[in-house]
Amino acid sequence: MHTHQTAGDVVAAQIRRHRERLGMNRHELAAECARLGRPDITYAVLVSIETGRASGEGKKRRPVDVDDLFVLGLALATPPLLLMLPLGSEDTVPTVPAADPRDPYTVWQWVTGEATPTLEGPLDGRYVPDSRQIAGTGQPWAAAWATAAYPVSLYPELARRRETAHKARLRAALDPSAQTEYVDRLDELAQIVNDMHRASLTVPALPTELGKDLSRLGLLDHPDQINPRGTE
């Protein structure tokens, strides 16, 4: 497995890897980037990205920014995050200059907000979350991270409960005895919607009938917080 000095090294290697996986040459990848609205990602730019160096002697690499990463991922039929965090093909990836490289899935969970970064260590063989306090507020860094990452847990759960409630409504339409189950699923959905409202998060559009039933049954703290124009 490779050892890369920077995240840019990883991205450059993965662009080449996935381009070759698809049997594309650089001209073809540049054409695909142009189709996606980035004609400035040319053959010459791709050469610079793939063969340049981030630092030290030799040709300087053209950096890949977030906008580039998204376009290149789609052009390569690859989730953009995998270009930075290649699960299964690297033992470790760089994190920040002041911390050790870590395995890609650990860093993946940090980037997606699924886990709290553990940059300190190793202490007794373990890495631990940052123990410092945020300047100004005095809030523990880990607590501030958890607050910012809170939506990561809510949106997938909303999607799951929305689908469950939709299926329960279809069953109740065919079998009146399933009405109680439908109301229970609506109550579960309402809990997430209410949590999102309390966190000042935008609630995605809900199917029209679900929105109407949530309001009719008085399950929402603020009935006007949902978009009733969603489709089934």
Side-chain angles (χ1 to χ4, degrees):
M1 296 294 181
H2 301 91
T3 299
H4 298 289
Q5 294 182 342
T6 68
D9 292 337
V10 177
V11 172
Q14 291 304 308
I15 290 172
R16 177 193 286 267
R17 172 175 174 256
H18 286 286
R19 179 175 61 76
E20 292 175 347
R21 170 180 66 87
L22 296 172
M24 297 174 73
N25 60 41
R26 292 185 183 117
H27 287 294
E28 291 167 334
L29 178 55
E32 186 63 16
C33 290
R35 186 187 69 81
L36 294 170
R38 290 295 305 276
D40 56 309
I41 302 180
T42 62
Y43 172 89
V45 167
L46 292 170
V47 170
S48 177
I49 290 172
E50 290 187 5
T51 66
R53 291 184 173 84
S55 61
E57 296 182 359
K59 183 170 55 179
K60 185 174 181 180
R61 171 181 297 133
R62 192 270 206 189
V64 175
D65 64 23
V66 174
D67 295 330
D68 299 336
L69 190 72
F70 195 71
V71 169
L72 285 163
L74 297 182
L76 291 165
T78 301
L81 192 54
L82 277 176
L83 296 178
M84 186 172 73
L85 301 171
L87 302 180
S89 63
E90 299 288 341
D91 286 334
T92 63
V93 293
T95 54
V96 295
D100 291 341
R102 303 292 294 279
D103 71 273
Y105 185 58
T106 292
V107 185
W108 180 288
Q109 291 177 300
W110 300 351
V111 173
T112 60
E114 299 171 69
T116 302
T118 51
L119 295 176
E120 293 188 356
L123 304 172
D124 295 327
R126 296 176 59 249
Y127 290 90
V128 296
D130 196 328
S131 58
R132 67 187 172 89
Q133 295 182 327
I134 300 293
T137 64
Q139 184 180 20
W141 186 92
W145 175 277
T147 299
Y150 183 46
V152 173
S153 64
L154 291 181
Y155 280 89
E157 186 62 18
L158 173 74
R160 187 189 70 79
R161 296 189 187 191
R162 180 176 55 198
E163 180 64 17
T164 300
H166 173 62
K167 291 178 178 179
R169 187 182 76 79
L170 296 179
R171 287 193 294 270
L174 298 174
D175 180 4
S177 67
Q179 187 67 29
T180 299
E181 179 200 358
Y182 175 46
V183 173
D184 288 343
R185 300 294 82 78
L186 281 176
D187 185 59
E188 293 172 350
L189 176 60
Q191 291 173 24
I192 288 290
V193 172
N194 290 332
D195 285 346
M196 295 180 75
H197 183 265
R198 284 190 286 270
S200 299
L201 300 173
T202 299
V203 179
L206 296 176
T208 302
E209 293 305 319
L210 292 185
K212 288 180 179 179
D213 289 343
L214 286 168
S215 298
R216 175 176 58 82
L217 294 171
L219 297 175
L220 299 175
D221 293 342
H222 300 275
D224 59 348
Q225 72 201 53
I226 61 170
N227 179 355
R229 294 175 295 177
T231 56
E232 296 290 348

